[in-house]
Amino acid sequence: MSDQPSIDSVRAATIVDPKDRKSFALKDRETRGDRIFDSKKDAKASLEADALAINELQDAMFACKAGALLVIIQGIDTSGKDGTTKECFKYTSPLGVNVFGFGKPSEEELAHDYLWRLHIRAPKRGFIHVFNRSQYEDVLVVKVRNLAPPKMIEQRYEQINAFEKLLAENGTRVLKLMLHISKEEQGVRLRERLEVPAKRWKFNPADLEDRKLWDKYQQAYETAIQRCSTPHAPWHVIPADSRSRRDATAARLIRGELEAMKPSYPDPGYRLDQFEID
Amino acid sequence: MSDQPSIDSVRAATIVDPKDRKSFALKDRETRGDRIFDSKKDAKASLEADALAINELQDAMFACKAGALLVIIQGIDTSGKDGTTKECFKYTSPLGVNVFGFGKPSEEELAHDYLWRLHIRAPKRGFIHVFNRSQYEDVLVVKVRNLAPPKMIEQRYEQINAFEKLLAENGTRVLKLMLHISKEEQGVRLRERLEVPAKRWKFNPADLEDRKLWDKYQQAYETAIQRCSTPHAPWHVIPADSRSRRDATAARLIRGELEAMKPSYPDPGYRLDQFEID
């Protein structure tokens, strides 16, 4: 464990610098993750320690209700949004962490502005919420598949920035993770879904349609990240071809956010000798 | 592990028989739990196996969306509602389990009927929701502290039965767990909360007021269980003086509910050779 990367170094390796965001290019980012963790073994050891720490930090955060954490996870099909969530919070009590998936909007959701369904699921103080897909779908799939007029989509980047700034300025840290995999690795995983019986239910022929639009999705992600990596809610691009490195990288960042809140158990000042307990 | 109690035997040891519910008396139920698990070591081994099985069953349940599970946990202060939830779901991905705590209702909640805030948090197919406190607060604390007219409270038992029947008949299994501790053990735990710094934030002097109303609470629980242990949603009384036995007993019952759903991974019939993945 002596050579594990520090939280600061993982942050530096994954962040999209808000000051330099317009020059961000997805192709400059690695998908393997071996610049962050030398070996899978290192990654697994790091994840193990961080998943335990995340549980302890969450418990203290729940006790002191100092703030909330919103983790937004985006990535194309098979990039591992479910798996990352499961691993990072594998030791965290379900009492303090809730996961919300945002698929195709319901009729009721569509009858509101597109941020409504996100906002009503924002975390209370003391809680961690994970958004598995998020408001970014409204500038990703919606853009690639032309589900809204370009002018409306164009307005959304600033609307999303304002929404996240509202959350951040009112005590919710916003951690945005883009799981970055290569086209080759997606091919491997789609084939795997068809070959492994317990994974077959996850296969959706429509995923192959999205795969044909690979370049358009990559472009939409790049634009979203360029426009929305802000000081109050920067984007992190996580190499996701290796599951163990992906999970370990995400866990380091989540732990970092929780540590930055400095949660501690409040002491209301009660002492045993003040009370009579029969 | 050879002598572990079967799920059926744990169910038999904890259930309040709907056919005989009117004669139910809380004083007839043990708080120690050593009739279910001989030793704490046995209980811990059983919990470990069940917590792993609960994760696997939940994953299949999520895949096939065959039904939902609602676990209602009630019990007086310090009986271990949080701890039981944490232990039973310690290996379950947060993707499939959500916990909702029902404390003092908000103004908005009070402006609706008392079941509204519960119903909107009922699980979707494929999900497990845990209610940490529930609609039963409206016939427990509300009754003991005279927060509603007796006539209204009297009507609630049948209203709750109808609500739970609605859920059950529409695909949600309802598992109701009452954590049963002795007054002595509560005294020990309240003192512990004052002595252990990391637990002190949980101490609330108002808990001592409730402790003075011990007999009234026990009576209110007994009535609620007599009136609401129904065939579609029976009550289980879990001995809760021993944390390890309590958790292991709850986990056996939760596993039993999930197994009864017979979740299995659906096979949509796709095969690799049907698709071209470049």
Side-chain angles (χ1 to χ4, degrees), chain B residues 36-53:
Chain B
I36 300 175
F37 289 99
D38 286 341
S39 68
K40 290 190 178 186
K41 199 180 150 208
D42 282 354
K44 281 177 185 169
S46 176
L47 170 68
E48 204 63 17
D50 284 348
L52 287 167

Side-chain angles (χ1 to χ4, degrees), chain A residues 14-52:
Chain A
T14 57
I15 200 167
V16 175
D17 185 352
K19 288 195 294 291
D20 201 23
R21 70 192 200 200
K22 283 180 190 161
S23 66
F24 168 73
L26 210 41
K27 66 170 173 42
D28 296 340
R29 298 297 179 116
E30 62 157 348
T31 57
R32 294 167 44 128
D34 44 14
R35 287 184 220 161
I36 300 174
F37 289 99
D38 287 340
S39 69
K40 289 190 180 188
K41 199 180 149 208
D42 282 354
K44 281 177 186 171
S46 176
L47 170 69
E48 204 62 16
D50 283 347
L52 287 167

Side-chain angles (χ1 to χ4, degrees), chain B residues 184-229:
Chain B
E184 294 66 39
E185 180 64 21
Q186 191 193 45
V188 170
R189 293 188 187 179
L190 286 172
R191 282 188 286 270
E192 192 181 79
R193 283 195 179 170
L194 286 163
E195 282 167 331
V196 179
K199 291 191 174 183
R200 210 170 275 150
W201 66 276
K202 281 192 165 189
F203 183 81
N204 182 348
D207 293 350
L208 296 182
E209 297 305 310
D210 274 343
R211 182 168 167 82
K212 284 184 192 140
L213 299 166
W214 181 271
D215 291 340
K216 284 194 176 176
Y217 270 104
Q218 297 287 302
Q219 183 56 54
Y221 266 103
E222 191 165 282
T223 302
I225 292 171
Q226 286 172 346
R227 302 284 295 273
C228 299
S229 197

